[in-house]
Amino acid sequence: MQIDYSKIITDLIQRNVEKIFKGVYKKGEEKYQELIIHTRIAFEKYLKSAVNKFSKTKSIIDKHKPVYIYDFYVDIDVKCGEDIISTEKVDQLLEYSKKITIFGTGGIGKSTLFKHLFLNTIRTTDLIPIFLELKYINDKNINDKEYNLEDFIYESLVNLNFSLEKELFIKSLYSGNYIIFFDAFDELNSDKKSFVHKEIERITNKYGDNYYLVSSRHNEMLERGWDNFYDFNVIPLDKEKAIQLITNLNYHEDIKNKFLFQLREGDLFDTHSSFCCNPLLLTLMLLTYEEYAEIPAKLHLFYEKAFNTLYAQHDASKGSFTREKRLEKKGLASDDFENILSIFSAYSYLDSKNTFTRNQLMEYISEAKEEAKEEIGIGVEFNSDDFKIDLTEAVCILIQDGINYRYQHRSFQEYFTALYTCKLGDEARQEFLMELFEEQPDSINEDTVFDMMFDMGRSKLERDFLIPTLNELKSLIINPDEAVMEFKFLDLIGTKLSFIIDARMVEDQVIHNVRARLVYSKPLKTKNSRYRYLVEFINAKYNDYFKHIPQSDLITTSDKRKIGKEMYERVAGEGAYPDTTSTFQRTLNMNTFTKEDVKDVVLIDTVMIGKLRNALWVLEMLKEKYANKKTRKRRSKIK
């Protein structure tokens, strides 16, 4: 049953309108009541428009009509440290902090959670919620020094019928009566993330009495960057919540009941827990259940079956009715459609685009069509508009969202990008991967493209990407002195040496405790930061190979403090201790650091240095592996 928000919104604004504008309007002013009424109407119109937009969504199950989110929504829990918190009511989160970051993997339901929290704020609090989709900053000119996050917030409100003057709204931000939801930081283009990161930090300090929530896939810029934010992680669905989600979905009752039986009574949840605990993948499992008896363990095989199901699927609301595909009727086979879609996905992924205007969508389709003719040899001429219609109405990989188009979920774009890359010739693949490494380096760790490519075509990825990039890294840091080489790596990825000095009184005497740590540059601060992503990817993928390699010895906390104190005295000067707690940072520099400093810096983070050593060992292992393969091929030819 849908909730009527109209009266709730009216009451919420009525209770808060004078509180919000305390200090903005003065009661003695002429037309005071007129201004208050104008303000109340502006907020009511915004919230009613926002509720209409964010209370409904299209899904893979309900592809052609927006569905009320509470028809399928399941409350999920989040974790902060050892604390597990229910998100049923927004107050349960806000008790922890006014500034919260919520992290979760792709498809775990972060945006749906934020929509629930937005609606719950209206129903259960006196706060005014503002919902912001950060992906729309990708289209803004942030090089304009006058543009800031307040501009974006105000534009987002105006787009949903907000009519209050900008100057008055910005003044109202000091009131502390807002909760602002920044949804999907991870969907920002690489060149926009640093700007938004700094802007969020600025406005949360400037308007510190409001509440702020940010959602994202795991992102080091956020995890390391905001000391005053509490970090929460979305907890994957347990068996009970997975069953509840499937029960809520509007799908063929007989198929759904059979699937639910396997979840409840069978071993489906246990054997495929990594899929069942993710709402998106669980939903895709339901879609593929009728056609495929087995669920593949590897993600790319799972998406392959999901695409085949979506391509051939009957309309859930019309029984056996299969929606006609225009291009199939004109002779374009399903594998050709898939090839064009993979090109479209790869090109848009490289440009960090997963939401498109109609013109942008048509441009990408035309570009994909041209490459398909040249590279894949598709002989069928087709109309780009027909492809758009099939993509959005028949197969539903993309859905229309207002005047724009977007992927059902980014993970589809990632799968098709990986598929495209694996189908390329060696030279073209290496060129594309190197461009991706240059333009989207954080995709190595934050998205699933490289993960799926590793499973789909491991040898191709090793030959055409890992060996060249690791060779490139080695050439930049090579030095006969191992400590110098490791120092150069830390310098390359933008590392700073940070000293935290705590001053406290003990028996009328000031005692200084010094902790030294290495702070790695925020992503894309320098283009060489990408080599850290590369090293971390290698360590994740080849973890089993390192068991027999001597690892760096971790030094104790007391050893680190001893090293830190000695280094601080060398760098800042003996006796240069502050009277209170402070932080002192210094950028690594081979020319100004002594040999002793170099060795000490390397000791401070033996974990990262261990990862570097592992990566360089993998390089030699891969070079030997493919040298042996070439030798075997030559010998077989001679025979």
Side-chain angles (χ1 to χ4, degrees):
M1 179 179 174
Q2 293 193 27
I3 298 168
D4 183 1
Y5 282 88
S6 297
K7 185 177 186 309
I8 299 172
I9 288 170
T10 299
D11 291 344
L12 172 65
I13 300 304
Q14 190 66 44
R15 291 195 306 271
N16 283 278
V17 66
E18 295 200 34
K19 194 188 304 181
I20 290 171
F21 283 94
K22 185 179 180 181
V24 177
Y25 302 149
K26 294 181 181 177
K27 286 194 175 184
E29 283 182 351
E30 191 177 346
K31 296 186 177 180
Y32 171 77
Q33 285 302 323
E34 185 179 327
L35 290 169
I36 289 294
I37 291 170
H38 172 53
T39 301
R40 177 173 55 76
I41 292 171
F43 276 97
E44 285 185 16
K45 286 169 66 177
Y46 162 70
L47 286 178
K48 287 175 182 177
S49 298
V51 164
N52 186 55
K53 177 177 174 64
F54 298 122
S55 67
K56 298 175 183 178
T57 187
K58 290 180 181 177
S59 70
I60 294 170
I61 295 289
D62 297 285
K63 301 182 286 288
H64 301 291
K65 62 177 182 179
V67 177
Y68 185 51
I69 68 167
Y70 290 117
D71 286 348
F72 63 86
Y73 180 73
V74 174
D75 285 315
I76 55 179
D77 297 330
V78 294
K79 188 173 184 179
C80 181
E82 296 302 314
D83 296 338
I84 295 176
I85 303 98
S86 168
T87 60
E88 182 181 358
K89 293 184 178 179
V90 69
D91 279 343
Q92 293 165 286
L93 283 172
L94 304 186
E95 288 175 2
Y96 271 77
S97 175
K98 287 190 171 184
K99 300 172 185 178
I100 289 172
T101 314
I102 294 181
F103 294 103
T105 56
I108 201 71
K110 299 181 295 297
S111 290
T112 306
L113 169 63
F114 264 35
K115 289 173 183 177
H116 155 67
L117 294 174
F118 172 84
L119 297 171
N120 188 259
T121 300
I122 295 172
R123 296 201 312 271
T124 65
T125 77
D126 280 343
L127 296 168
I128 307 298
I130 296 174
F131 195 102
L132 304 170
E133 297 176 280
L134 289 176
K135 62 187 176 185
Y136 292 115
I137 291 183
N138 291 330
D139 299 323
K140 305 297 180 183
N141 179 18
I142 63 170
N143 294 321
D144 179 358
K145 293 183 179 179
E146 299 298 317
Y147 193 82
N148 57 35
L149 203 52
E150 287 94 333
D151 294 324
F152 176 71
I153 295 171
Y154 184 72
E155 289 168 7
S156 301
L157 294 172
V158 169
N159 287 338
L160 290 172
N161 299 312
F162 189 65
S163 56
L164 190 68
E165 291 79 1
K166 183 177 181 179
E167 181 183 357
L168 296 176
F169 167 71
I170 290 175
K171 285 182 180 179
S172 78
L173 288 172
Y174 290 101
S175 69
N177 273 76
Y178 294 105
I179 175 169
I180 302 179
F181 297 92
F182 295 101
D183 185 45
F185 181 90
D186 53 291
E187 292 188 13
L188 287 163
N189 292 357
S190 297
D191 62 334
K192 301 292 196 301
K193 285 180 179 175
S194 183
F195 164 79
V196 174
H197 182 273
K198 290 175 184 175
E199 282 292 285
I200 290 178
E201 186 171 39
R202 180 182 65 78
I203 72 161
T204 55
N205 289 326
K206 185 174 182 179
Y207 314 109
D209 291 332
N210 298 308
Y211 292 83
Y212 301 91
L213 277 75
V214 182
S215 73
S216 179
R217 292 188 187 186
H218 285 280
N219 180 286
E220 193 166 3
M221 182 181 286
L222 299 189
E223 292 173 280
R224 289 177 176 264
W226 292 333
D227 292 335
N228 54 354
F229 269 69
Y230 273 60
D231 292 342
F232 290 77
N233 284 284
V234 176
I235 298 175
L237 300 178
D238 58 21
K239 186 174 180 177
E240 183 181 344
K241 289 182 184 291
I243 291 170
Q244 185 184 345
L245 175 61
I246 294 298
T247 302
N248 292 351
L249 293 176
N250 176 31
Y251 200 63
H252 304 284
E253 284 300 317
D254 56 337
I255 298 171
K256 188 168 78 170
N257 289 335
K258 290 176 184 177
F259 188 76
L260 281 169
F261 179 82
Q262 291 299 321
L263 274 178
R264 287 194 187 102
E265 309 299 332
D267 62 355
L268 184 62
F269 190 89
D270 295 328
T271 57
H272 291 82
S273 60
S274 62
F275 293 163
C276 290
C277 67
N278 181 296
L280 173 70
L281 299 182
L282 179 63
T283 306
L284 287 174
M285 285 179 73
L286 174 62
L287 289 179
T288 61
Y289 179 73
E290 181 180 20
E291 187 169 352
Y292 300 104
E294 292 184 353
I295 305 295
K298 290 189 175 181
L299 191 62
H300 74 280
L301 295 174
F302 182 77
Y303 273 103
E304 179 185 344
K305 291 186 184 301
F307 169 72
N308 290 335
T309 300
L310 288 171
Y311 190 86
Q313 188 188 30
H314 295 158
D315 194 306
S317 65
K318 299 180 182 179
S320 62
F321 170 74
T322 302
R323 193 170 292 271
E324 183 181 71
K325 299 169 193 69
R326 295 188 174 201
L327 294 182
E328 188 176 57
K329 191 176 179 181
K330 295 178 181 178
L332 190 74
S334 62
D335 59 338
D336 290 335
F337 184 92
E338 183 183 60
N339 282 330
I340 298 164
L341 175 55
S342 69
I343 299 169
F344 166 85
S345 297
Y347 283 10
S348 56
Y349 181 81
L350 190 61
D351 292 341
S352 295
K353 295 289 290 185
N354 51 54
T355 299
F356 315 90
T357 64
R358 189 185 187 285
N359 287 340
Q360 289 169 338
L361 178 60
M362 299 307 291
E363 285 176 15
Y364 278 115
I365 291 172
S366 296
E367 196 173 2
K369 181 167 69 171
E370 289 306 309
E371 174 161 335
K373 288 179 184 177
E374 294 178 14
E375 301 293 330
I376 305 174
I378 294 176
V380 179
E381 182 62 43
F382 65 87
N383 181 279
S384 295
D385 203 56
D386 285 343
F387 187 85
K388 174 188 77 71
I389 292 170
D390 281 353
L391 197 58
T392 55
E393 294 184 12
V395 184
C396 297
I397 294 295
L398 263 62
I399 59 175
Q400 191 163 358
D401 184 8
I403 61 172
N404 293 324
Y405 299 83
R406 62 175 173 83
Y407 277 88
Q408 279 274 9
H409 195 270
R410 284 171 56 202
S411 55
F412 280 106
Q413 186 183 33
E414 292 164 17
Y415 163 70
F416 285 111
T417 299
L419 181 65
Y420 165 81
T421 308
C422 287
K423 287 184 176 181
L424 289 172
D426 293 349
E427 189 175 334
R429 182 185 308 107
Q430 184 168 2
E431 183 180 344
F432 180 81
L433 288 171
M434 290 304 188
E435 188 174 0
L436 189 58
F437 187 50
E438 180 83 23
E439 298 295 328
Q440 304 291 344
D442 46 355
S443 67
I444 298 175
N445 281 347
E446 289 183 21
D447 294 342
T448 59
V449 173
F450 281 86
D451 282 333
M452 284 194 274
M453 282 167 42
F454 190 83
D455 286 335
M456 294 165 78
R458 177 169 171 173
S459 62
K460 295 174 181 178
L461 187 67
E462 288 176 338
R463 285 196 323 263
D464 299 328
F465 177 70
L466 296 182
I467 291 176
T469 50
L470 285 170
N471 267 328
E472 190 178 89
L473 168 61
K474 186 176 180 180
S475 70
L476 293 170
I477 64 172
I478 191 71
N479 193 284
D481 186 326
E482 188 175 48
V484 171
M485 182 173 73
E486 292 163 352
F487 182 94
K488 288 177 73 175
F489 170 70
L490 296 174
D491 185 18
L492 181 73
I493 62 176
T495 311
K496 283 190 177 181
L497 176 61
S498 179
F499 298 99
I500 303 170
I501 306 101
D502 296 318
R504 56 192 179 89
M505 295 291 294
V506 177
E507 297 180 355
D508 297 327
Q509 200 172 12
V510 179
I511 304 296
H512 293 95
N513 289 324
V514 180
R515 284 178 290 147
R517 63 174 182 171
L518 298 182
V519 180
Y520 299 106
S521 78
K522 293 168 184 174
L524 304 178
K525 188 172 183 180
T526 68
K527 75 170 188 175
N528 291 328
S529 297
R530 60 193 174 148
Y531 293 111
R532 175 160 52 90
Y533 292 121
L534 175 66
V535 164
E536 288 173 347
F537 178 80
I538 293 289
N539 277 263
K541 290 300 175 188
Y542 296 88
N543 185 52
D544 289 342
Y545 289 80
F546 304 140
K547 292 176 182 177
H548 67 283
I549 305 175
Q551 298 295 307
S552 302
D553 294 328
L554 298 177
I555 64 173
T556 64
T557 301
S558 59
D559 286 337
K560 280 192 177 184
R561 290 192 174 180
K562 182 180 178 183
I563 290 171
K565 188 170 184 179
E566 291 172 353
M567 285 196 70
Y568 181 78
E569 289 179 348
R570 289 199 300 269
V571 172
E574 192 170 350
Y577 292 107
D579 294 330
T580 57
T581 300
S582 69
T583 300
F584 174 81
Q585 282 195 345
R586 183 148 183 206
T587 303
L588 301 191
N589 189 318
M590 188 64 69
N591 296 323
T592 58
F593 277 61
T594 66
K595 286 186 177 180
E596 194 174 3
D597 292 333
V598 168
K599 290 180 179 178
D600 284 347
V601 165
V602 170
L603 278 175
I604 288 171
D605 196 342
T606 49
V607 173
M608 181 60 76
I609 295 305
K611 289 180 179 180
L612 170 66
R613 291 175 184 173
N614 291 342
L616 294 177
W617 180 87
V618 167
L619 171 61
E620 298 309 313
M621 182 266 289
L622 292 178
K623 286 162 73 173
E624 183 179 352
K625 172 183 174 181
Y626 290 104
N628 289 338
K629 281 191 175 182
K630 289 177 184 176
T631 302
R632 284 198 298 273
K633 284 181 181 178
R634 284 199 298 272
R635 286 176 181 168
S636 64
K637 286 180 181 179
I638 292 170
K639 290 178 182 178

